[in-house]
Amino acid sequence: MSVGGTGDGEGFASPPWLRVAAGSNAGSAEPLRPWRVFGQIVAGALVVIFLVAVVGGVASRRFGETDSVNDAAMAANLLAVAAAQPAVSEALLVSDPSAVAAMDKVVRERVLSPSIVRVKIWDAAGRIIYSDASALIGQQFLLGEEERSLLAHPLTSGPRPAAQTRADVSDLMAPENHLERDQGRLLEVYRPIWTPAGRPLLFEIYAPYGEVAARTGQLWGGLAGVTVISLLLLVLLMLPILWTLLNRLSRSQAQREALLQRATDASTQERRRLAGAVDDGVVQDLAGASYAVAAGAARAQTLGKPELADQLRMAAATVRTSIGGLRSLLLDIDPASLATAGLQGALTDLVSTLRSRGMAVTLDLDPQTGLDAAGDRLVFRVASECIANIAKHAAAMSVQVYLKRRERHALLTIIDDGVGFDAAGLLAHPSQGHSGLGVLRDVVADSGAELLLSSRPGAGTRWQLTIPLG
C-alpha cells in the first residue's frame, strides 16, 4: 500500500542516530538444568583441588625443606660429637699429613655416605684445614657473618650450654663451593668443634637437596590424599541433597510458570472480551452515527443550507476519526486482532488521528513485509507510541511513515518536522519525560530488534525500527 509518497526517508537530513534499544532475544527465563548445576559444582571442586595443589605444593616444599634441614642439623651434631671431635688434634691446625690422614680415614669410614657428599673443617681465620676434597685443604676464604659469629660464640646460653648448629641451602656460587657445583643443590650444615687445647673449629657437611624433594613428596602425597578424598566425600554427600533441592526447585518453577500462564491466558481472554464488546457495540454505533450525520449533511446541502451541511460533514469526519482512534486502541488492547484487521489497515487508522489535527501524512507501506504476527505487533506497538508522541509534543506540520522490506530485515521509519527535542539528554535521563521511551526500550530489546532515534531541538524527529527477518 502506498499513500502520498514513494520514498523511505533515507534522504532526510537529521542529527546523528542514537541507539534507544538493541535486541537481545532474551526471551523467557531459562529453565533449570540440574546437570548444568552438577557440572558447575564439579568444576568448582576441580578449581578448589587445583588451588589446594598449588598452596599445598608451596607449603609442602617449605615444610619439607625445614624438616630436611633439621634432620641434617641432627646428623651434623651426631657426626661432630661421635666422629669428628675425637679425631681432631692440634697437628691438624698446621695440616700435618698424619693428622690429615687420620681425620680422612674417620671421615670416609664414618661420615661420608649417599646422604653426605662433602666435609670441611675450618679454622677461625677462614682456612680449610681438612676436606675430603684434598684440593681444598690449605685454601683460605672469607667467612660469612654467621660463621664468624658461631666461632665467636660457639655455645648456647642456659643451664646446659650446647654447641650451636646452623643449616641452610648452600650458595653454590660462593668461591669456597666451586668444587660442589656439579652436584646440584645442596644443604650445608655447620657447627663448632674444639681441638684438645680448646680452640674452636667449624665442622661443615653438605647433604644432597634430593632429601628435600623426597620429604616434600611425602608431605604433599599425604596432604593431597587427605584433601582430595575429603573434597570428593563432601561432593558425594552434597549430590543427593542437591538433587532433592533441584527437583523441588524445578517443580516450584513449573508451578510458577503454570500460574503465570493461567494469569496471562485470563488477561488475554479478558482483553479480547472487552475489545470484542467495544468493537461490536460502541464502534458499530459510532459508524452508524457517522453514516447518519453524513446523510444529514447531504440533505442539508440539498435544502440549500450549506453552513449546516459543512457543520454536519465536520461532525461526520470527527466521528470517523474517533472510530479510527478506537480501532487503534482496540488493536493495542488486543494485538491478536491485527491478524484480522491487518497491519496496513491498523497503521492507516493510526495515522488518521494525525490527519484530524491538520497534519499532512505520508504513509508508504510495502504490501509484503515478511513479518510474522509478532513482528506485526511490534511494528504497531512502536508506531503507536511514536505517533502518540508526535500528536502530543511535536507540533509538526507533516509526518512520514514508511514500512519497507530489505533483504534480511524490515525497516519502519517515522519522520516528523516538529519542534524536536534533546535526544541524547532524553536517553541519558528517560525518567524526566517521555515515559513511553522506557516501554519502547523494553519491548524492542525483548524482541531482538533495534530502535534508533535522531532528534534535536528545531530539527524534527526520526525513529527507525529494524526487525530481523527469519
Side-chain angles (χ1 to χ4, degrees):
M1 174 179 182
S2 180
V3 180
T6 59
D8 59 1
E10 291 182 357
F12 178 78
S14 66
W17 286 112
L18 298 174
R19 176 173 289 160
V20 177
S24 60
N25 287 322
S28 59
E30 185 178 358
L32 184 66
R33 292 184 173 86
W35 291 112
R36 176 177 294 181
V37 177
F38 288 137
Q40 292 173 347
I41 292 178
V42 172
L46 292 176
V47 170
V48 171
I49 290 175
F50 174 76
L51 293 176
V52 169
V54 173
V55 176
V58 174
S60 298
R61 185 181 185 84
R62 291 182 179 177
F63 290 146
E65 189 171 282
T66 302
D67 235 16
S68 298
V69 166
N70 290 336
D71 288 348
M74 292 178 61
N77 277 328
L78 291 175
L79 292 172
V81 172
Q85 181 74 58
V88 171
S89 64
E90 297 294 334
L92 190 61
L93 291 173
V94 295
S95 300
D96 181 75
S98 59
V100 172
M103 178 60 74
D104 192 61
K105 180 179 181 183
V106 171
V107 166
R108 296 189 182 279
E109 290 179 355
R110 302 177 60 182
V111 178
L112 292 178
S113 66
S115 60
I116 297 176
V117 298
R118 178 73 72 234
V119 176
K120 298 175 185 177
I121 300 178
W122 304 69
D123 63 12
R127 186 171 61 91
I128 299 177
I129 61 174
Y130 169 77
S131 174
D132 63 291
S134 58
L136 293 174
I137 298 176
Q139 294 190 27
Q140 187 165 354
F141 302 95
L142 180 65
L143 290 176
E145 183 178 352
E146 289 189 355
E147 289 88 343
R148 293 196 302 270
S149 174
L150 192 61
L151 287 172
H153 307 284
L155 299 177
T156 59
S157 60
R160 293 184 178 180
Q164 298 187 57
T165 303
R166 304 285 175 84
D168 204 350
V169 178
S170 180
D171 178 13
L172 296 180
M173 299 308 296
E176 66 271 18
N177 294 328
H178 65 279
L179 293 183
E180 289 81 50
R181 291 171 187 166
D182 60 345
Q183 301 189 41
R185 297 188 71 187
L186 299 172
L187 292 176
E188 60 180 29
V189 187
Y190 44 91
R191 58 150 287 167
I193 57 176
W194 291 266
T195 67
R199 297 178 182 177
L201 303 175
L202 200 62
F203 176 70
E204 184 177 29
I205 63 172
Y206 291 76
Y209 196 82
E211 297 291 331
V212 176
R215 186 64 55 88
T216 298
Q218 293 173 358
L219 291 173
W220 168 228
L223 176 64
V226 172
T227 303
V228 172
I229 291 175
S230 299
L231 286 173
L232 290 178
L233 287 176
L234 179 61
V235 171
L236 290 176
L237 289 174
M238 287 176 59
L239 288 180
I241 300 174
L242 183 63
W243 181 263
T244 302
L245 292 176
L246 288 175
N247 280 337
R248 292 181 181 178
L249 186 60
S250 297
R251 289 196 297 269
S252 298
Q253 186 179 26
Q255 292 173 357
R256 286 197 302 271
E257 290 177 352
L259 291 174
L260 180 61
Q261 186 62 44
R262 291 178 185 175
T264 303
D265 293 343
S267 176
T268 301
Q269 292 175 1
E270 183 63 17
R271 289 201 308 271
R272 289 178 178 175
R273 186 188 68 78
L274 291 175
V278 172
D279 189 38
D280 294 338
V282 177
V283 172
Q284 297 302 323
D285 293 342
L286 287 175
S290 173
Y291 293 138
V293 173
R299 286 195 299 271
Q301 186 70 34
T302 303
L303 295 174
K305 300 178 179 180
E307 294 182 359
L308 177 61
D310 290 340
Q311 292 176 355
L312 291 175
R313 278 194 290 269
M314 289 178 61
T318 301
V319 172
R320 287 195 297 272
T321 301
S322 299
I323 292 173
L326 276 175
R327 286 174 177 170
S328 299
L329 180 61
L330 292 178
L331 290 174
D332 203 9
I333 294 174
D334 181 20
S337 60
L338 276 172
T340 302
L343 180 59
Q344 295 181 350
L347 292 177
T348 301
D349 288 341
L350 194 61
V351 300
S352 64
T353 59
L354 301 179
R355 290 196 177 99
S356 68
R357 294 172 179 264
M359 301 182 195
V361 178
T362 299
L363 185 64
D364 188 358
L365 311 176
D366 276 354
Q368 300 295 329
T369 62
L371 294 171
D372 56 10
D376 287 346
R377 288 194 296 270
L378 177 61
V379 168
F380 180 79
R381 184 70 183 87
V382 172
S384 177
E385 188 65 36
C386 293
I387 289 174
N389 285 334
I390 293 173
K392 292 179 183 178
H393 308 294
M397 298 299 295
S398 65
V399 179
Q400 305 169 44
V401 179
Y402 303 100
L403 180 60
K404 296 295 181 179
R405 177 173 181 172
R406 295 293 182 259
E407 183 178 354
R408 296 182 180 178
H409 62 270
L411 185 67
L412 171 69
T413 307
I414 301 176
I415 306 168
D416 70 73
D417 61 355
V419 296
F421 54 89
D422 180 9
L426 177 64
L427 293 177
H429 306 285
S431 60
Q432 296 181 359
H434 295 268
S435 58
L437 183 63
V439 177
L440 283 179
R441 177 177 288 171
D442 294 339
V443 169
V444 173
D446 290 342
S447 68
E450 181 183 56
L451 180 62
L452 301 178
L453 167 63
S454 177
S455 183
R456 69 179 177 216
T461 302
R462 178 175 179 176
W463 297 87
Q464 183 171 286
L465 174 68
T466 305
I467 307 174
L469 297 178

